[in-house]
Amino acid sequence: MTLLDTRARTGRVARINPVAKLGASALIAIPLILTLDPVSAAVALALECALFAFAGLTWREFWVRTWPVWLAAPLTALTIALYGEASGHVYVEWFVVRVSEGSLALAAATFLRVLAIALPSVVLFVTVDPTDLADGLAQVVHLPARFVLGALAGLRMVGLFLDDWHALELARRARGVADRGRIRRFVGMAFALLVLSIRRGSKLATAMEARGFGAPVRRTWARPSRFGAPEWGLLLIGAAISGLAVAAAVAAGTWNFILGPS
């Protein structure tokens, strides 16, 4: 466990059942996925930022965890601005690039939308332990034990990817085959990591089957997963954020249901 994880687990959100965090993220994301307008995304993002202080993250921890989101959001918006559907006044037109008033509006809405959907998911799941999530999915959601245990085992293996990548890099350097061609080296190491992961997954599946994890019997769980008032409170907060965002968009006349008739 890293220092960032240790500090994050002291926040109020850390003790909430992971199932509630998953549900709150879904309640926030689903309405924003169904529309593409700047008002709903901006309102949701503003409400989320007011709640991030209760996650137990310092500013440094927050930026370390969420920097991929802040990188992906403007890149996505740039793509929409350059190649999105043109409408209104056209500012720049060259080959397949067409920057217009409509594409810029879509780019702004997309930027806010990506932040509003991704940030709460990242912040809420910083404090999630895979075993706690598996306990919650099995005992609260009542998913099949075979699926839950398999997903937990696979999730536990994700942390080994970085160690395997580092070991492969050191091994290739020791053999003198990692000095040139970065792209070729990356492809080779990625293929080697894929083969190693398949072999490890096969061995893990055989070991789990031999220990009876796939037996068709009712399974007991060592740690109870509780779902009480804090969990319902988090779900209500997620629903309130979604409701206020949708209401603001409808009131402003910007609600744009993407599944509706064009």
Side-chain angles (χ1 to χ4, degrees):
M1 184 183 299
T2 63
L3 180 59
L4 294 181
D5 294 329
T6 303
R7 291 181 178 177
R9 292 180 184 276
T10 61
R12 299 180 182 179
V13 181
R15 295 182 291 272
I16 295 180
N17 194 303
V19 174
K21 300 177 184 179
L22 184 63
S25 300
L27 287 174
I28 295 174
I30 290 176
L32 296 178
I33 292 175
L34 297 178
T35 182
L36 184 57
D37 69 275
V39 175
S40 61
V43 171
L45 184 60
L47 295 174
E48 292 163 4
C49 290
L51 297 174
F52 286 158
F54 298 97
L57 297 177
T58 65
W59 280 110
R60 179 179 177 274
E61 293 168 350
F62 176 79
W63 291 115
V64 168
R65 293 292 183 177
T66 61
W67 71 263
V69 179
W70 295 100
L71 178 62
L75 292 178
T76 305
L78 178 62
T79 303
I80 298 298
L82 296 179
Y83 308 107
E85 183 179 357
S87 61
H89 180 70
V90 177
Y91 299 104
V92 178
E93 185 173 3
W94 178 76
F95 194 43
V96 296
V97 175
R98 181 176 295 178
V99 180
S100 66
E101 185 178 357
S103 65
L104 292 179
L106 288 176
T110 302
F111 174 78
L112 295 173
R113 185 191 194 197
V114 171
L115 293 180
I117 293 175
L119 285 180
S121 301
V122 173
V123 172
L124 287 176
F125 277 86
V126 165
T127 58
V128 169
D129 180 76
T131 303
D132 293 337
L133 178 59
D135 288 335
L137 292 177
Q139 300 177 48
V140 178
V141 187
H142 301 292
L143 292 181
R146 187 184 183 97
F147 167 78
V148 171
L149 293 173
L152 174 61
L155 191 60
R156 286 293 189 187
M157 294 295 102
V158 173
L160 298 177
F161 281 169
L162 293 178
D163 295 335
D164 292 338
W165 185 270
H166 185 61
L168 287 171
E169 188 177 20
L170 293 178
R172 291 174 66 88
R173 287 184 177 179
R175 295 174 183 175
V177 295
D179 296 330
R180 297 179 181 178
R182 292 185 178 181
I183 298 179
R184 183 178 181 182
R185 179 181 60 186
F186 176 83
V187 173
M189 290 179 59
F191 181 76
L193 184 62
L194 175 63
V195 173
L196 181 61
S197 300
I198 294 175
R199 290 178 178 176
R200 177 178 291 150
S202 300
K203 293 180 180 178
L204 179 62
T206 303
M208 293 181 67
E209 206 52 51
R211 294 178 180 179
F213 284 101
V217 297
R218 180 174 181 145
R219 179 166 297 277
T220 58
W221 304 92
R223 298 184 301 181
S225 181
R226 297 179 175 85
F227 201 94
E231 287 74 24
W232 286 112
L234 183 60
L235 290 177
L236 288 176
I237 290 174
I241 291 176
S242 295
L244 291 174
V246 171
V250 172
T254 61
W255 176 261
N256 181 21
F257 189 54
I258 60 177
L259 299 180
S262 56

